[in-house]
């Protein structure tokens, strides 16, 4: 008879086995069928259940019935009480405020990247959200009479930002003004909308707005635009610095040039990008092309009908594009599975750690020279040495903290199985990187193909064979 990893044998050990399930919620019987004339088998099983430590053993009549059921369909001989898991609290949104997609033409099936599916505009007094509290589960009991605890359900936390009203009695949230809803995973806000009917340029000056911003035409060269909420540009952006806490939507193209940065706290969308630098927390959608640009996102880069020519694209959740590179062999780099924000933080930590280790080495060298010197120190020199000792201890403490932060940053690097999907063609001189693996393209490869990590390297497989 076996108890997960141990065998307990009685006189019938050669013919029967009792197995305790890994979750300790059942004991299964394997052995001969009992006979009406001899109850030796029942005695052996009851004795072994007692040896195992089962506090409540079944009666002989019940045991006989359970043995028959076990032999017939594998039913357990002894069964505990399974725990009932808790249910976490949930957020019930009153509308489709945060849909990630765009409207699709029902007739043609084409995606209209200028029209988001989400309905971001809300009115004063509109219901936004109801928070449903968690439901605690019920503890279970294993076959040995020991309780199986159940963690309590998680409470969904919502903090109210500007222009949001909470009704405590019903855990509901309402818009306290008309505007555009914004949600960062914890803070719910309604941003007042500032509309610029024309372009942002010399006439308007730089713009800093605490809510959402709608630009009727373009953001012109040299402009600086910052909004706490989303920014919608109905024209193009050229040679400007743009930063928003929500989504960024550019109906036209983005041409920025060196030294200019576009940063989005949510998703980012543009018709095309050229010589641009975009950083986004959410997905980046480009309709037509990215030329000699740097795109960085903690989401995905989505360009199913577009092409990437030159530059570098880094996306934590993967890349989808029609064509990568060109037949002319323009160097293009696609990186998936890398968190650009974490990478920048780790680079700064490593740099600071190297600086502190060098400073500590210089201090220790000075202290060692003083300790081995035969010259008697003056009171001023002695105080200076004490100050150096304190600096050495402070440097040692900071080095320990930096090393711990580096260790944690390395251990918690975002996991997952990011992929690079090429619908059209993967051209020569295009480099694919996924995690630590690298693939250099020397010949044109027709799609649709998917690049993923398998067997210690990057492999390319037909898109329709990609595992889910």
């Amino acid at each position: 008879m076996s108890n997960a990893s141990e065998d307990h044998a009685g006189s019938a050990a050669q013919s029967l086995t009792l197995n305790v399930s890994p979750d300790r919620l059942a004991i299964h019987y394997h052995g001969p069928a009992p006979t009406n004339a001899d109850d030796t088998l029942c005695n052996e099983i009851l004795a072994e259940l007692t040896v195992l430590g089962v506090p409540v053993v079944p009666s002989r009549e019940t045991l006989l019935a359970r043995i028959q059921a076990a032999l017939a369909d594998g039913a357990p001989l002894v069964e505990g009480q399974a725990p009932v898991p808790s249910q976490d609290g949930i957020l019930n949104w009153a509308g489709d405020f945060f849909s990630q997609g765009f409207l699709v033409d029902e007739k043609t099936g084409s995606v209209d990247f200028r029209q988001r599916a989400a309905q971001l505009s809300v009115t004063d007094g509109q219901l936004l959200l109801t928070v449903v509290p968690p439901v605690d589960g019920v503890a279970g009991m294993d076959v040995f009479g020991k309780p199986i605890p159940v963690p309590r359900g998680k409470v969904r936390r919502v903090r109210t930002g500007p222009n949001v009203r909470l009704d405590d009695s019903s855990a509901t949230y309402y818009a306290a003004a008309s505007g555009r809803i914004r949600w960062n995973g914890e803070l719910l806000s309604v941003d007042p909308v500032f509309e610029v009917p024309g372009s942002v340029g010399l006439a308007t000056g730089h713009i800093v707005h605490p809510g959402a911003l709608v630009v009727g035409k373009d953001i012109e060269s040299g402009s600086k635009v910052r909004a706490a909420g989303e920014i919608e540009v109905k024209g193009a952006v050229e040679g400007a610095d743009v930063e928003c806490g929500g989504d960024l939507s550019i109906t036209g193209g983005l041409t920025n040039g060196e030294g200019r940065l576009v940063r989005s706290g949510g998703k980012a969308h543009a018709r095309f990008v050229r010589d641009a630098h975009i950083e986004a927390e959410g997905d980046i959608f480009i309709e037509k092309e990215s030329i000699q640009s740097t795109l960085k996102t903690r989401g995905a880069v989505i360009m199913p009908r577009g092409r990437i020519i030159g530059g570098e694209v880094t996306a934590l959740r993967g890349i989808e594009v029609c064509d990568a590179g060109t037949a002319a062999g323009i160097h293009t780099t696609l990186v998936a599975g890398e968190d650009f924000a974490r990478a920048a933080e780790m680079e700064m930590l490593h740099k600071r750690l190297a600086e502190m280790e060098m400073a500590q080495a210089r201090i220790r060298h000075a202290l060692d020279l003083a300790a081995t010197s035969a010259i008697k120190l003056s009171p001023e020199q002695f105080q200076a040495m004490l100050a150096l000792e304190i600096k050495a201890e402070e440097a040692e403490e900071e080095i320990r903290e930096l090393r711990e932060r580096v260790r944690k940053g390395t251990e918690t690097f975002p996991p997952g199985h990011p992929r690079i999907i090429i619908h059209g063609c993967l051209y020569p001189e295009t480099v694919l990187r996924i995690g630590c693996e690298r693939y250099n393209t020397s010949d044109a490869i027709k799609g649709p193909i998917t690049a993923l990590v398998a067997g210690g390297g990057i492999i390319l497989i037909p898109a329709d064979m990609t595992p889910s």
Side-chain angles (χ1 to χ4, degrees), residues 276-278 284 290-297 301 308-315 319 331-336 338 340 431 433 438:
H277 186 138
I278 301 177
I284 296 178
S290 170
I291 299 178
Q292 296 295 359
S293 295
T294 298
L295 310 180
K296 298 181 178 182
T297 173
V301 169
I308 299 173
I309 302 174
E312 182 168 311
V313 174
T314 303
I319 300 169
H331 185 75
T332 305
T333 302
L334 308 185
V335 183
E338 180 177 303
F340 78 92
V431 176
R433 290 207 330 257
R438 181 185 179 98

Side-chain angles (χ1 to χ4, degrees), residues 360-383:
Q360 184 195 43
R362 289 195 296 268
I363 294 172
R364 288 299 179 193
H365 181 66
L367 290 172
D368 291 342
L369 287 178
T372 57
S373 175
I375 302 175
K376 185 177 180 180
L377 298 177
S378 66
E380 292 78 9
Q381 290 173 325
F382 182 75
Q383 291 298 323

Side-chain angles (χ1 to χ4, degrees), residues 32 47 76 107 120 136 220 273 322 351 359 387 412 420 451 468:
K107 295 182 179 179
L120 297 176
D136 290 336
E220 298 174 352
V273 292
C322 184
K351 182 179 180 181
T412 59
I420 299 174
S468 58

Side-chain angles (χ1 to χ4, degrees), residues 31-56:
T35 63
N36 294 329
D38 185 7
D39 61 358
T40 303
L41 181 62
C42 288
N43 291 336
E44 290 290 345
I45 293 174
L46 292 172
E48 289 301 328
L49 289 175
T50 302
V51 171
L52 281 174
V54 178
V56 180

